[in-house]
Amino acid sequence: MENTCKITDLICLPDTKLPRVVVVGGGFAGLALVEGLKKRNVQVVLIDKNNFHQFQPLFYQVATSALEPDSIVFPIRKQISGYKNVQFRLAEVVEIEPSRNLLFTNKGKLTYDYLILATGTTTNFFGLENVEKNSLGMKDIRDSLNIRHMMLQNLEQAAITCDDEERDALTNFVIVGGGPAGVEMAGALAEFCRYILPKDYPEYPSSIMKIYLVEAMDELLGAMSDKASEKTLEYLKNLDVEVLLNEAVSDYDGKVVQTKSGKMLLARNLVWTAGVKGQFPKGISKESIVKGNRLKTNGYLQVDGHKNIYAIGDIAALISEATPKGHPQVAQTAIQQGKYLAEMLTDLIDDKPSKQFKYKDKGSLATVGKRRAVADLGKLKFGGYFAWLLWSVVHLMSISGFRNKLLVGFNWVISYFTYEKSNRVIIRNFKQSSHIDSPSDEQFGTLEKSENMQKTKIDA
Amino acid sequence: MENTCKITDLICLPDTKLPRVVVVGGGFAGLALVEGLKKRNVQVVLIDKNNFHQFQPLFYQVATSALEPDSIVFPIRKQISGYKNVQFRLAEVVEIEPSRNLLFTNKGKLTYDYLILATGTTTNFFGLENVEKNSLGMKDIRDSLNIRHMMLQNLEQAAITCDDEERDALTNFVIVGGGPAGVEMAGALAEFCRYILPKDYPEYPSSIMKIYLVEAMDELLGAMSDKASEKTLEYLKNLDVEVLLNEAVSDYDGKVVQTKSGKMLLARNLVWTAGVKGQFPKGISKESIVKGNRLKTNGYLQVDGHKNIYAIGDIAALISEATPKGHPQVAQTAIQQGKYLAEMLTDLIDDKPSKQFKYKDKGSLATVGKRRAVADLGKLKFGGYFAWLLWSVVHLMSISGFRNKLLVGFNWVISYFTYEKSNRVIIRNFKQSSHIDSPSDEQFGTLEKSENMQKTKIDA
């Protein structure tokens, strides 16, 4: 295969005689794997294009100014500090050359004995170019910041314009996708509008901000129980969110959202949570790429057609009779697969046999604004205040780092009693940022961007 | 005068019969003025290109990952909430047309009865284009973030490169300017290097990071007492900062810093704190612009040659026999001038006579890393631990908002005992940001950028 990568210096790494396990991606899956491989007789190289782990389940709270980004991202070097056999390198992976066990990044190349892809997913706009151009996804902490800044900038602009229609457009919000991200975003926005808007913008009636949630299926939270779906719909209606079911967005010019059924929604704020697609470097054999741009693996999470390449987390599609569509793309799958692969690889290197991966569903939770949530725990399905408490505890416990738990807890307690949120400041111009900082779909496809980044650092 | 502004719609404002006082800039001076004018019989319109107030004295702590930006910026709308006669508008002022009492912004125009410029200063590179292109100032919260990201990105790059010289360049730091900003930055960096580097980058010896402080005069903190200057020098030397006095930077290509005396310093990190210059909209009569691009005012802070235009804070140069160079460009001057002008304008509108502005020097403080500071309080000059405690209390008390006091206090207490700092995460690519987000010298000079911002919000 012809390698198109231009930067081919070796990335500097300690020279050990141990087998080298290269892990791409410091998300839930990648970190669980690295954690499991510490103190084992392997050299682990963790590569990520960010120097931090992101706690995706709370992105919507950053987007709505409930939390500051630093409380839900955690430095990878802090996470792995003390792991003597683990090296972190900040680089963007571009391409794999399996025939030579070579990995090319925007910072140079490195060799691997075992390559594990934990590169996750990115927003899928399903080819709706105008929507992609004029709206924001929520798959990266920068997206959350961009949404926050878009919203705050538009609220400020609404105070400046004398045009009533324009003011409505600037204050209206459309969220596409009735999954957990969309539902939680809608709930948080509704509370922002109810409790924050009147304080910060006394010039507006709080009724000025209309919130629409658009879902293509006939229910919200399709992956959860019918009971959860119904309760969620009820909660959102009580928060004055207008939910449109069996409705899909067909076009968006930045001001008017058009739906398949011909509806027109006036809104300059559009957040797209309606789909994701896997992202991974070039060089993987076409045959192993399946629906949703995921990588087909066997029961050992080994990517089809590649001897020493494995996939874990959202991009892994372990297709079996029990799981014809692979496992759900959620944090618990990622963590379980990371832990499993650590054991499996160790056994493999020690020439021991190992079992295939088994997924254990611990249930699902989703929250709708303050004091309301829904829970499916096996047979037990319930909603309301207790579900919300459970949601809060589970999420607080899963956040990396004592400091972050403390910060998030501190903010939640304050906002529980006061509905006050953290500082609503616009530090970046969201539009410029959304183009420059947000991960683009081509991030693994081309090297231009990567080279600029390289240059940036070298010229710095 | 020919007005070059293209956006001429009126900015939407409540129509009152009260005299309209337009305040440009929400820094210490502008906020003190607005505070003083609340409940008075005037309509106050506060305009700022940011929706937040910035606490400049702690920028260096954001730059060195000691604090997160949100703890030292404060939303202006929160600050003025409840002030019935005050309106905030997020806009960038472009030009004044004094003959018609008109103010042009990137969002539209508005009229004023009294115009108060509190637009502060920006970094002055004194025409050194290469230095400006390849280094970062520290006059905006975005600068602080850019410095942090530059430093962290370069430390990561140093782990990747196999070239020893390049690694040295990436880890070395040059700070230009021996005023409070430079001194405090050098001290904080030295501690980062001593206490954080070994934990986050076990691959380096902590000796790898060299810190240079370059000052053109023969002493540090020239504005303070000789005792303070000497103690500061001693403190920095104990922290292994290499201080170069009577030395000026003449050129910088992004890797090698050249000095007037012919020295060459290898460093990819250069922070410029060596000078500031006033920034204000076009339309002010040339005669009233004095050294440092400040506006010459009389004893009532009225700008020379303009009947109803006033200047306060860093851009005001109240030239008198007592103050041939104007007052020091520090927060206490700004706050005193803001408070004074509130009284003066009220008297003026009520046709009452008023006294001229009198500055009361409350003394100066500067800190050099943890547990060390210098203080000049009138005749009382001292340094050490108590000075540092005093510095901490004074700064904590001056930060806007209970939440921010709490956050900063929380971080300081933690780092006091642990030297642990907040999350060292690179959320933005610093170089791109430094061009896009940082205030440029032309921010008042041209409209292109402003129009883009306008567009940004409309296209959102």
Side-chain angles (χ1 to χ4, degrees):
Chain A
M1 187 198 59
E2 179 52 45
N3 160 43
T4 62
C5 185
K6 296 172 198 71
I7 301 163
T8 55
D9 337 327
L10 270 179
I11 285 183
C12 191
L13 286 167
D15 189 9
T16 67
K17 297 278 153 288
L18 300 168
R20 177 180 291 173
V21 179
V22 174
V23 182
V24 184
F28 286 114
L31 285 186
L33 172 60
V34 169
E35 171 80 24
L37 287 176
K38 71 178 177 193
K39 299 191 186 135
R40 302 290 174 93
N41 274 336
V42 292
Q43 178 186 42
V44 180
V45 180
L46 175 58
I47 296 185
D48 197 296
K49 63 178 189 294
N50 296 317
N51 76 332
F52 51 84
H53 166 73
Q54 311 191 41
F55 191 74
Q56 294 200 30
L58 293 180
F59 279 171
Y60 78 96
Q61 295 210 357
V62 171
T64 51
S65 308
L67 291 174
E68 286 303 317
D70 72 295
S71 25
I72 65 164
V73 297
F74 193 77
I76 287 173
R77 284 189 178 273
K78 223 166 172 180
Q79 189 80 36
I80 63 170
S81 92
Y83 298 6
K84 298 240 174 321
N85 64 326
V86 180
Q87 299 287 326
F88 171 71
R89 292 296 181 265
L90 180 71
E92 199 169 339
V93 171
V94 180
E95 189 161 351
I96 311 168
E97 208 172 306
S99 55
R100 294 196 293 156
N101 289 348
L102 264 179
L103 187 65
F104 293 86
T105 79
N106 64 328
K107 301 301 185 60
K109 64 184 178 187
L110 68 164
T111 59
Y112 60 83
D113 297 303
Y114 302 90
L115 176 63
I116 290 81
L117 298 175
T119 40
T121 57
T122 182
T123 303
N124 189 352
F125 290 94
F126 303 103
L128 294 168
E129 287 172 11
N130 292 337
V131 176
E132 180 163 6
K133 199 171 88 235
N134 297 311
S135 75
L136 290 170
M138 198 163 58
K139 283 295 293 175
D140 184 279
I141 188 70
R142 298 166 186 86
D143 294 337
S144 316
L145 280 171
N146 292 337
I147 292 169
R148 180 200 287 203
H149 294 155
M150 166 177 73
M151 173 176 162
L152 295 175
Q153 286 179 356
N154 285 342
L155 285 174
E156 290 296 342
Q157 186 58 33
I160 282 168
T161 182
C162 307
D163 172 337
D164 294 346
E165 183 192 282
E166 179 61 21
R167 188 182 299 110
D168 284 343
L170 286 162
T171 50
N172 290 351
F173 229 103
V174 172
I175 299 155
V176 185
V183 161
E184 294 179 333
M185 183 70 192
L189 259 180
E191 289 190 327
F192 179 96
C193 160
R194 191 173 283 192
Y195 301 102
I196 307 293
L197 204 62
K199 266 193 290 184
D200 275 13
Y201 299 88
E203 49 257 89
Y204 311 145
S206 70
S207 63
I208 198 176
M209 191 169 162
K210 271 192 231 64
I211 301 164
Y212 303 91
L213 179 59
V214 181
E215 165 57 42
M217 300 295 139
D218 59 1
E219 62 171 8
L220 299 172
L221 300 180
M224 289 182 73
S225 66
D226 292 350
K227 184 171 179 188
S229 306
E230 287 150 23
K231 274 198 173 302
T232 303
L233 187 60
E234 173 197 326
Y235 293 153
L236 285 176
K237 283 184 171 163
N238 295 342
L239 286 166
D240 304 318
V241 173
E242 192 165 324
V243 180
L244 291 80
L245 297 174
N246 303 305
E247 187 62 273
V249 168
S250 55
D251 201 0
Y252 180 50
D253 63 1
K255 184 171 180 179
V256 177
V257 182
Q258 294 188 35
T259 70
K260 284 235 171 70
S261 77
K263 284 206 185 62
M264 306 271 214
L265 307 174
L266 186 70
R268 288 217 178 272
N269 307 284
L270 177 60
V271 173
W272 184 270
T273 68
V276 297
K277 58 184 175 191
Q279 55 184 356
F280 45 80
K282 290 194 292 183
I284 297 287
S285 65
K286 297 275 162 295
E287 300 68 41
S288 52
I289 300 171
V290 296
K291 191 163 177 297
N293 211 39
R294 294 164 81 182
L295 298 179
K296 185 165 181 298
T297 77
N298 62 18
Y300 303 95
L301 297 171
Q302 187 176 30
V303 176
D304 279 19
H306 295 278
K307 211 184 104 296
N308 55 351
I309 301 181
Y310 298 79
I312 50 177
D314 286 358
I315 58 159
L318 196 169
I319 312 265
S320 69
E321 283 179 5
T323 57
K325 296 172 165 184
H327 295 92
Q329 293 170 292
V330 295
Q332 51 176 320
T333 311
I335 293 165
Q336 291 178 34
Q337 291 184 340
K339 286 182 177 167
Y340 163 83
L341 197 60
E343 297 309 317
M344 207 287 286
L345 284 175
T346 317
D347 292 344
L348 187 70
I349 289 162
D350 302 350
D351 276 325
K352 292 196 202 127
S354 49
K355 294 206 190 65
Q356 300 203 355
F357 172 73
K358 269 213 158 28
Y359 175 62
K360 187 178 175 316
D361 185 350
K362 293 180 177 169
S364 332
L365 291 161
T367 176
V368 190
K370 201 133 299 134
R371 306 189 173 86
R372 293 270 173 282
V374 289
D376 289 353
L377 308 176
K379 296 223 169 354
L380 184 61
K381 306 180 192 317
F382 59 102
Y385 184 77
F386 180 69
W388 175 78
L389 271 185
L390 184 66
W391 178 94
S392 305
V393 173
V394 167
H395 283 76
L396 201 52
M397 288 305 102
S398 349
I399 293 170
S400 289
F402 174 70
R403 172 185 171 281
N404 293 27
K405 286 188 175 67
L406 216 60
L407 272 176
V408 173
F410 166 79
N411 277 293
W412 282 358
V413 169
I414 284 193
S415 74
Y416 181 87
F417 291 109
T418 65
Y419 282 100
E420 188 43 89
K421 307 236 173 188
S422 66
N423 279 343
R424 295 171 288 281
V425 296
I426 305 166
I427 290 189
R428 310 184 307 169
N429 175 305
F430 85 88
K431 200 65 182 186
Q432 291 165 317
S433 314
S434 68
H435 288 326
I436 283 147
D437 290 341
S438 298
S440 75
D441 300 352
E442 298 77 38
Q443 61 193 324
F444 292 114
T446 109
L447 239 163
E448 275 67 278
K449 187 181 160 205
S450 321
E451 277 178 338
N452 297 342
M453 288 176 63
Q454 168 80 340
K455 209 163 149 303
T456 307
K457 282 157 205 177
I458 302 303
D459 291 347
Chain B
M1 187 199 60
E2 180 51 48
N3 161 43
T4 62
C5 187
K6 296 174 198 69
I7 300 164
T8 55
D9 339 326
L10 270 179
I11 284 184
C12 190
L13 286 167
D15 190 8
T16 68
K17 298 277 152 288
L18 300 168
R20 178 180 290 171
V21 180
V22 175
V23 182
V24 184
F28 287 113
L31 284 186
L33 172 59
V34 169
E35 171 80 24
L37 287 176
K38 72 179 175 192
K39 297 187 190 143
R40 302 291 173 94
N41 275 336
V42 291
Q43 178 186 42
V44 180
V45 180
L46 174 58
I47 296 184
D48 198 297
K49 62 178 189 295
N50 296 317
N51 76 333
F52 51 85
H53 166 73
Q54 311 191 42
F55 192 73
Q56 293 201 30
L58 292 181
F59 278 172
Y60 77 95
Q61 294 210 358
V62 171
T64 52
S65 309
L67 290 175
E68 287 303 318
D70 71 295
S71 20
I72 66 164
V73 297
F74 194 78
I76 287 173
R77 285 189 177 273
K78 223 167 171 180
Q79 189 79 37
I80 64 171
S81 92
Y83 298 5
K84 301 234 174 327
N85 65 325
V86 180
Q87 301 286 327
F88 171 71
R89 292 297 179 264
L90 180 71
E92 199 168 338
V93 171
V94 180
E95 189 162 352
I96 312 169
E97 208 173 308
S99 55
R100 295 197 291 157
N101 289 348
L102 264 180
L103 187 64
F104 293 87
T105 79
N106 63 327
K107 301 301 185 58
K109 64 185 178 187
L110 69 165
T111 60
Y112 59 82
D113 297 303
Y114 302 90
L115 175 64
I116 290 83
L117 298 174
T119 40
T121 57
T122 182
T123 304
N124 188 353
F125 290 94
F126 303 104
L128 294 169
E129 287 172 12
N130 292 338
V131 176
E132 182 164 3
K133 198 170 88 236
N134 299 311
S135 76
L136 291 169
M138 198 163 60
K139 284 293 294 175
D140 184 279
I141 189 69
R142 298 167 187 86
D143 293 337
S144 315
L145 280 170
N146 292 338
I147 292 169
R148 179 199 286 204
H149 294 156
M150 166 176 74
M151 172 177 164
L152 294 175
Q153 284 179 357
N154 285 342
L155 285 174
E156 289 298 342
Q157 186 58 31
I160 281 168
T161 181
C162 307
D163 172 338
D164 295 347
E165 185 192 280
E166 180 61 20
R167 190 181 300 110
D168 283 344
L170 286 162
T171 50
N172 290 350
F173 231 104
V174 173
I175 299 154
V176 186
V183 162
E184 294 179 332
M185 182 70 191
L189 258 180
E191 290 191 328
F192 179 95
C193 160
R194 191 173 282 193
Y195 301 102
I196 307 293
L197 203 62
K199 266 193 289 182
D200 276 12
Y201 298 88
E203 49 256 86
Y204 312 144
S206 70
S207 63
I208 198 176
M209 191 167 161
K210 270 191 233 66
I211 301 164
Y212 304 91
L213 179 60
V214 181
E215 165 57 43
M217 300 294 140
D218 60 0
E219 62 171 8
L220 299 171
L221 300 179
M224 289 183 72
S225 65
D226 292 351
K227 185 171 179 188
S229 306
E230 288 151 22
K231 274 200 175 300
T232 303
L233 187 60
E234 174 197 327
Y235 293 152
L236 285 175
K237 284 186 171 162
N238 295 342
L239 286 166
D240 303 319
V241 173
E242 192 166 323
V243 180
L244 290 78
L245 298 173
N246 303 304
E247 187 62 272
V249 167
S250 56
D251 201 0
Y252 180 51
D253 62 2
K255 183 169 182 183
V256 177
V257 181
Q258 293 188 36
T259 70
K260 284 235 172 68
S261 76
K263 284 206 184 60
M264 306 271 216
L265 307 174
L266 186 71
R268 289 217 178 271
N269 307 283
L270 177 60
V271 173
W272 184 269
T273 68
V276 297
K277 58 184 176 191
Q279 55 184 357
F280 45 81
K282 291 193 293 183
I284 297 286
S285 66
K286 296 274 161 296
E287 301 68 41
S288 52
I289 301 170
V290 295
K291 190 163 177 296
N293 211 39
R294 292 164 82 182
L295 298 179
K296 186 165 180 299
T297 77
N298 62 19
Y300 302 96
L301 298 171
Q302 188 177 31
V303 176
D304 279 20
H306 295 277
K307 211 182 104 297
N308 55 349
I309 301 181
Y310 297 79
I312 51 177
D314 286 359
I315 58 159
L318 195 170
I319 311 255
S320 69
E321 282 180 4
T323 57
K325 296 172 167 180
H327 295 94
Q329 293 169 292
V330 295
Q332 50 176 318
T333 312
I335 292 165
Q336 290 177 37
Q337 291 184 339
K339 285 181 177 166
Y340 164 83
L341 198 58
E343 298 309 319
M344 206 286 286
L345 285 176
T346 317
D347 292 343
L348 187 68
I349 289 161
D350 303 349
D351 275 324
K352 293 197 202 131
S354 50
K355 292 207 188 69
Q356 300 202 356
F357 172 73
K358 265 210 162 26
Y359 174 62
K360 186 173 178 321
D361 185 350
K362 294 181 177 168
S364 335
L365 293 160
T367 177
V368 189
K370 200 134 300 135
R371 304 191 174 85
R372 293 271 172 283
V374 290
D376 289 354
L377 309 176
K379 293 219 171 359
L380 184 60
K381 307 181 190 320
F382 60 103
Y385 184 76
F386 179 69
W388 175 79
L389 271 185
L390 184 66
W391 178 93
S392 305
V393 173
V394 167
H395 283 76
L396 202 52
M397 289 305 103
S398 351
I399 293 171
S400 291
F402 175 70
R403 172 184 172 282
N404 293 27
K405 287 187 175 65
L406 215 60
L407 272 176
V408 173
F410 166 78
N411 276 292
W412 281 358
V413 169
I414 284 193
S415 75
Y416 181 88
F417 291 108
T418 65
Y419 281 100
E420 188 44 87
K421 306 236 175 189
S422 65
N423 278 344
R424 293 170 290 281
V425 296
I426 306 166
I427 291 189
R428 310 185 307 169
N429 175 306
F430 86 89
K431 200 65 183 185
Q432 291 164 316
S433 315
S434 68
H435 288 326
I436 284 149
D437 289 342
S438 299
S440 76
D441 300 353
E442 298 78 37
Q443 60 192 325
F444 293 116
T446 110
L447 241 163
E448 275 69 277
K449 189 179 157 207
S450 320
E451 278 177 339
N452 296 343
M453 288 176 63
Q454 169 81 341
K455 210 163 147 302
T456 306
K457 284 157 204 175
I458 303 303
D459 290 349

